[in-house]
Amino acid sequence: MAPAIVHFLVGAALVLLLVTPLALRYRLPTWLPLWLVAIGGLWGLLPDIHHIAPAYETELYAFHNSQWTDLFAFHYTLDRPAVRARYNESIFWSIVLFLGASATFTVAAAANAWTTVDETPAPHLVALATATIPALLVVAAAIGGPL
């Protein structure tokens, strides 16, 4: 099982990366990134609710051990023995992923702020932000090795 911080950071990073194209296109409120991180992190942790649930513990644990939990920020994949064996590396790379997602989102929001209200961000910036998501996933898969 991956540490909770890994699940939280991966969930937060994925939500930030998914919203990055919106940050390029629309002026988002300044409080939104903080809530996106919190919501994304809790989304990544949701399958671990069986640890604190007062009822349905058996059913929630069975759900936690199913591949359906990959819908929650790759929770099932992160709980595989290969990731468990690389405890410190999983924490390190989740921090790197989160910092990369935060930087990408910040650059997208700043690029939008540099334009006037009537202008739209340059199409190449939208393409760059959209291409960053699969590129980061490919890099993470290449570095992580086989599971």
Side-chain angles (χ1 to χ4, degrees):
M1 171 189 268
I5 190 69
V6 171
H7 291 301
F8 186 89
L9 289 175
V10 170
L14 290 176
V15 167
L16 281 177
L17 288 174
L18 288 174
V19 178
T20 296
L22 294 177
L24 272 173
R25 181 74 173 124
Y26 304 106
R27 300 222 192 265
L28 301 176
T30 56
W31 51 266
L32 188 63
L34 180 61
W35 280 103
L36 288 174
V37 168
I39 290 168
L42 291 175
W43 170 61
L45 284 172
L46 192 62
D48 283 331
I49 197 153
H50 67 89
H51 291 297
I52 59 170
Y56 302 108
E57 294 174 41
T58 308
E59 292 84 357
L60 290 171
Y61 184 72
F63 175 70
H64 175 267
N65 291 330
S66 72
Q67 291 184 351
W68 283 102
T69 57
D70 263 347
L71 296 173
F72 297 91
F74 304 108
H75 195 99
Y76 180 78
T77 302
L78 292 172
D79 280 348
R80 306 273 307 187
V83 176
R84 191 177 316 143
R86 297 181 182 108
Y87 186 86
N88 291 334
E89 290 89 350
S90 67
I91 294 172
F92 175 78
W93 287 112
S94 67
I95 292 170
V96 169
L97 175 67
F98 178 73
L99 291 176
S102 298
T104 303
F105 183 86
T106 302
V107 167
N112 189 323
W114 294 331
T115 62
T116 63
V117 176
D118 294 335
E119 294 177 344
T120 59
H124 66 281
L125 289 176
V126 175
L128 176 67
T130 307
T132 303
I133 297 168
L136 285 174
L137 292 175
V138 167
V139 169
I143 291 173
L147 292 176

